[in-house]
Every structure is written in structure tokens, then in C-alpha cells.
């Protein structure tokens, strides 16, 4: 396929991509330097994910990260981009159960970071919040399937929607999210056949992570796909680099050069 050239990605570009059968490429980023690299490579969407809680702050789950911390990451990402759409996760505790709180948190993200949209996890439970946020003019991306903010309810990070009851809830939730006005939805770790069926059943783009190839786009956590964490090995993950090895070699060489007085050399010093 010959993809259309977009100088700026908007929520409308993504809907157009779905219509034209062009796949959407999304990655997470949390800082200025990586956002700049990803945007320069023409990524369509940067997600300032609450996975920052794991990969940036070292927490075991996504639950501890705060709204202030998410805004800090989003601000840095926004400074690094020109073309892509930047979506920011509403962190755990900043929207659940109260649409007024959800709206206030979304407005803080948009106003203080300059991001273009927010993402939140859940279906029927957050429908009112989604409508209220969208009514205020803020685009919302949904997130169904494995929703890591509910890890203590699920108990494990295994594949979701294997049982009928959960499949039916997922199908009903996706319709609710589309009707509420979500511009796209992330489907995480569900059977590929179900993801394909859901993708065909809606007009909004479905972005998969561990949801097979028959969806409208893919998302991965940047640290995972660049091979910065070699202990995380889910089946859905493809590593496109081995940064942990590359960084280890570079740092070891630097240490060796410093210890052996090989760095700096005469060309690397001032007269
Ligand atoms: O926070 C995150 O990185 C995410 C992606 C896994 C979709 O929500």
C-alpha cells in the first residue's frame, strides 16, 4: 500500500487511516529526547502511558503514578514532537467513579501539558466520564481487554476474554465506547479472532497490543520493543533492538577508556 503523507496527525487522520486500510503505528514515550526520535521516524501516535510507572519510576504496577507525574512526562514529550498525535493516560485514581473528577483531571492534562487527547481504562463503568470529557472538547481513547489499573481485581496479567461472559461484556463495552464518542480504542491481550471481529464491528480505529494482526493498528511499550528490559518476555512482544546490550557495551567501553586514561585524547581536549 502507498500510505497518504500526513504532515500532522489528528484524530480525523486516524479515522481516515482505518477507512483506507492504512495501519496505525503507536508507541509509548515519556520524555523529550525519545519523543523527538519517535516523531522524526514518523510514528503516528505517542502514548504517554501510565506504564511510565513501571519503566520510568520502577514501580511494580501502574497504580502508584500520580496525575502530576503524568503531566510532567507529557509536557516533556510535547516539546519533542511536530507531527504525531500525543495521547496521555489518565492515571489510576484520577477518574474512577466520578465524572467530575475525570473531567478535571483531563482538563489539567490538556491545559498543563499541551497534549492532544487522553486515554482511560474501562467500559460501561466509565461511560459517563467519557461522555463528559468529550463534551468538554477533549478527545478520548478507550482501553479494554487487559486493563492494568485493575490488576488486583484480575489477579494476573494473562489473556482476557476467554470466557463467554467476558466476551459479551467486551462486545457490549466497545459499542458503548464508540457511541460515547471515543476516537479510538486500545484492545490489550485478547484472542486475535475476537479482536478481528470487534475491529470489523466498529467504525473507530482499534489499536491492539497482544490482540493479533487483524486490528487497525499496533501499540507497544517503547522500552520493551527497544529491548531495554530483557526480563519481560510476553508472547506478543517483538524486539526491534537490543538496547540493553548496546548500552552495556558502550558504558563498559567508556569505563575502560576512563580507567586506562584513553579518554579524552588530544583531539578531545581544548588548547
Ligand atoms: O500505559 C501503557 O503503556 C499502555 C499501553 C500498554 C497500551 O496503556
Amino acid at each position: 500500500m502507498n500510505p497518504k503523507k500526513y504532515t500532522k496527525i489528528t484524530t480525523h487522520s486516524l479515522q481516515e487511516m482505518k477507512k483506507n486500510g492504512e495501519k496505525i503505528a503507536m508507541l509509548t514515550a515519556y520524555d523529550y529526547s525519545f519523543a523527538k526520535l519517535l516523531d522524526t521516524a514518523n510514528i503516528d501516535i505517542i502514548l504517554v502511558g501510565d506504564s511510565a510507572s513501571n519503566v520510568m519510576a520502577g514501580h511494580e504496577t501502574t497504580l502508584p503514578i500520580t496525575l502530576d507525574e503524568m503531566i510532567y512526562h507529557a509536557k516533556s514529550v510535547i516539546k519533542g514532537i511536530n507531527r504525531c498525535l500525543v495521547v496521555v493516560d489518565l492515571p489510576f485514581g484520577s477518574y474512577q467513579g466520578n465524572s467530575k473528577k475525570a473531567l478535571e483531571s483531563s482538563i489539567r492534562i490538556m491545559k498543563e501539558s499541551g497534549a492532544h487527547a487522553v486515554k482511560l481504562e474501562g467500559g460501561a463503568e466509565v461511560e459517563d466520564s467519557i461522555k463528559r470529557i468529550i463534551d468538554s472538547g477533549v478527545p478520548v481513547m478507550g482501553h479494554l481487554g487487559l486493563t492494568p489499573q485493575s490488576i488486583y481485581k484480575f489477579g494476573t496479567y494473562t489473556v482476557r476474554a476467554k470466557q463467554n461472559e467476558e466476551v459479551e461484556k467486551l462486545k457490549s463495552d466497545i459499542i458503548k465506547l464508540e457511541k460515547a464518542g471515543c476516537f479510538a480504542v486500545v484492545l490489550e491481550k485478547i484472542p486475535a479472532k475476537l479482536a478481528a471481529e470487534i475491529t470489523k464491528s466498529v467504525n473507530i480505529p482499534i489499536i491492539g497490543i497482544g490482540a493479533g494482526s487483524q486490528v487497525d493498528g499496533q501499540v507497544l511499550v517503547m522500552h520493551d520493543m527497544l529491548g531495554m528490559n530483557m526480563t519481560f518476555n510476553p508472547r506478543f512482544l517483538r524486539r526491534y533492538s537490543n538496547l540493553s546490550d548496546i548500552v552495556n557495551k558502550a558504558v563498559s567501553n567508556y569505563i575502560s577508556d576512563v580507567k586506562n586514561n584513553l579518554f579524552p585524547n588530544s583531539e578531545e581536549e581544548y588548547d
Side-chain angles (χ1 to χ4, degrees):
M1 89 156 308
N2 201 3
K4 179 171 165 183
K5 291 216 176 351
Y6 291 94
T7 48
K8 201 101 190 151
I9 303 290
T10 65
T11 56
H12 299 280
S13 326
L14 303 175
Q15 314 233 339
E16 193 176 74
M17 286 181 191
K18 171 160 180 138
K19 239 191 247 151
N20 295 342
E22 178 181 345
K23 299 278 186 177
I24 298 162
M26 168 164 149
L27 282 173
T28 64
Y30 319 94
D31 69 358
Y32 165 79
S33 300
F34 271 112
K36 197 169 173 181
L37 289 172
L38 267 48
D39 189 65
T40 305
N42 281 340
I43 196 77
D44 296 315
I45 308 174
I46 286 182
L47 171 66
V48 184
D50 59 358
S51 47
S53 181
N54 310 104
V55 299
M56 299 301 287
H59 296 300
E60 204 176 307
T61 72
T62 57
L63 275 66
I65 199 159
T66 65
L67 184 58
D68 284 340
E69 287 166 338
M70 288 303 295
I71 290 170
Y72 165 81
H73 288 297
K75 262 187 195 169
S76 318
V77 165
I78 282 290
K79 291 206 185 89
I81 65 105
N82 274 316
R83 174 186 175 271
C84 68
L85 186 85
V86 176
V87 181
V88 181
D89 263 336
L90 281 165
F92 179 66
S94 73
Y95 65 95
Q96 282 90 349
N98 180 339
S99 69
K100 185 168 177 277
K101 192 165 183 193
L103 176 61
E104 283 166 1
S105 301
S106 304
I107 288 178
R108 273 202 64 200
I109 287 176
M110 301 297 281
K111 238 182 170 31
E112 294 176 38
S113 75
H116 310 128
V118 298
K119 174 165 91 53
L120 52 78
E121 297 181 4
E125 318 76 29
V126 288
E127 196 184 354
D128 288 347
S129 297
I130 291 175
K131 283 187 188 147
R132 196 158 176 183
I133 298 167
I134 294 171
D135 280 350
S136 79
V138 177
V140 174
M141 177 180 272
H143 185 153
L144 296 171
L146 176 68
T147 47
Q149 291 179 10
S150 304
I151 185 56
Y152 291 118
K153 188 170 92 183
F154 296 147
T156 75
Y157 285 101
T158 50
V159 181
R160 305 307 310 173
K162 298 276 264 186
Q163 310 297 332
N164 252 348
E165 200 181 323
E166 209 179 328
V167 171
E168 290 317 311
K169 171 149 170 50
L170 188 53
K171 286 181 178 172
S172 141
D173 279 345
I174 194 82
I175 291 167
K176 285 192 167 72
L177 294 197
E178 182 176 35
K179 277 205 180 126
C182 283
F183 70 88
V185 174
V186 167
L187 277 187
E188 180 164 354
K189 234 175 168 183
I190 65 163
K193 262 196 192 150
L194 176 62
E197 188 188 331
I198 288 175
T199 302
K200 277 200 208 107
S201 75
V202 292
N203 291 313
I204 52 174
I206 301 295
I207 317 284
I209 172 163
S213 64
Q214 300 308 302
V215 288
D216 302 307
Q218 299 291 332
V219 56
L220 285 174
V221 169
M222 180 191 67
H223 288 58
D224 300 339
M225 63 81 75
L226 289 181
M228 289 159 97
N229 172 12
M230 301 308 275
T231 58
F232 183 61
N233 289 306
R235 177 184 173 130
F236 68 77
L237 174 62
R238 186 181 296 179
R239 288 206 177 86
Y240 286 84
S241 188
N242 187 343
L243 277 201
S244 62
D245 244 29
I246 293 171
V247 171
N248 189 282
K249 277 189 193 123
V251 174
S252 300
N253 287 342
Y254 167 74
I255 293 169
S256 163
D257 284 355
V258 170
K259 302 274 181 198
N260 293 299
N261 205 17
L262 295 170
F263 173 79
N265 62 25
S266 58
E267 282 167 21
E268 291 160 334
E269 65 188 21
Y270 298 100
D271 294 329

